[in-house]
Amino acid sequence: PGLGFHQTILYTPNWRTTYEPSGRRPVHLKNPHTAGVPKGASRPPFSPTFPSAMLYINHSIQEAAMNYTEDKSYRKWILAALLTAAGVLLSPLFSFPLGVTRAFPLQHMINIFLAVLCGSRYSTSAAFCTSVIRNLLGTGSLLAFPGSMVGAFLSGFLYSRLHTLWAAVLGEFVGTSLIGGLLSYPIAALFMGSSKGALFYVSLFSISCGAGCVIAYVVLKSARLIQTEFIKTKQNTASL
């Protein structure tokens, strides 16, 4: 009795928000004006009218944004998992022996796909998981780790900074063939008993990575052109 509509909705004693930032008070309906105020800080005079409604709206927007971000992150992890599974399944069919290692061009294509569509965190994680599973199944070697993870990270990093497809392709090629090849030299010498020099691994990885980079560039460029033409056609149709 005596409570307005906003008071009845906002001040229900059992209501509590699910969004509680670190170091800040949770929003209770009895005191919605304490939202976002650090502990011990002076609080403005209590006003159960317009400020209360604005705090409730602001909280709803923040919670919706958090849910959208989490949902988008889940989708990226699902895509990374699917491409990891595809890399493992296609490895016996499309990999071939090349020196002391096995070349797998499709791994570099997958790295660029994830770097462009998801980011470096997802591409690097997928490259690591693919390398682990391939080694367990006997379809890969220890050189799969430096030969895939470095390029996947550098591809996503450069794409996030330059936002061009060429940056992703260049990052994959440099990270895999040059940096990955140099890192493979001590691994092959210590754990695989190889006496080959560092330039040998650089040349091997350049062959495998170059083929994967070309495939990824053609596929992504074609997909972007098709998307652009579809948007133009849709706009022209709508304007008629």
Side-chain angles (χ1 to χ4, degrees):
L3 293 178
F5 172 77
H6 65 279
Q7 292 172 307
T8 305
I9 298 298
L10 296 180
Y11 300 160
T12 304
N14 294 329
W15 188 84
R16 181 190 294 260
T17 69
T18 58
Y19 178 62
E20 300 181 3
S22 177
R24 297 181 182 272
R25 292 178 178 271
V27 180
H28 295 276
L29 288 178
K30 286 188 176 181
N31 294 303
H33 67 299
T34 61
V37 179
K39 294 180 180 180
S42 59
R43 289 182 282 277
F46 175 70
S47 175
T49 53
F50 182 74
S52 303
M54 293 304 297
L55 286 172
Y56 178 76
I57 295 173
N58 180 53
H59 161 71
S60 301
I61 294 174
Q62 289 177 341
E63 187 174 8
M66 289 181 61
N67 293 335
Y68 174 77
T69 303
E70 292 177 357
D71 182 63
K72 192 175 182 180
S73 178
Y74 291 148
R75 292 181 181 181
K76 290 181 178 180
W77 282 119
I78 292 173
L79 178 60
L82 291 175
L83 291 181
T84 298
V88 173
L89 294 176
L90 296 176
S91 176
L93 302 176
F94 294 95
S95 64
F96 53 90
L98 191 63
V100 296
T101 184
R102 293 187 65 86
F104 185 36
L106 293 185
Q107 177 64 58
H108 310 291
M109 178 193 71
I110 292 174
N111 289 348
I112 296 177
F113 282 175
L114 288 175
V116 172
L117 300 176
C118 300
S120 58
R121 176 174 58 177
Y122 304 91
S123 60
T124 307
S125 300
F128 173 76
C129 293
T130 304
S131 301
V132 171
I133 300 174
R134 287 183 61 202
N135 275 268
L136 294 176
L137 297 178
T139 59
S141 66
L142 292 177
L143 302 185
F145 292 97
S148 62
M149 294 178 62
V150 180
F153 172 79
L154 190 58
S155 177
F157 177 79
L158 291 181
Y159 185 81
S160 65
R161 294 297 185 274
L162 303 177
H163 301 287
T164 59
L165 186 55
W166 274 111
V169 174
L170 181 63
E172 174 66 25
F173 187 79
V174 172
T176 298
S177 60
L178 183 59
I179 303 177
L182 294 177
L183 292 176
S184 297
Y185 168 67
I187 295 176
L190 293 175
F191 300 103
M192 303 175 66
S194 176
S195 59
K196 302 294 184 179
L199 294 179
F200 174 76
Y201 300 100
V202 172
S203 61
L204 290 184
F205 286 177
S206 298
I207 297 173
S208 177
C209 181
C213 288
V214 171
I215 297 173
Y217 180 82
V218 171
V219 172
L220 291 177
K221 193 68 174 179
S222 301
R224 186 167 296 180
L225 291 176
I226 293 173
Q227 182 183 17
T228 303
E229 291 298 325
F230 176 77
I231 294 175
K232 288 182 179 179
T233 305
K234 190 174 181 180
Q235 291 177 347
N236 293 333
T237 305
S239 61
L240 294 177

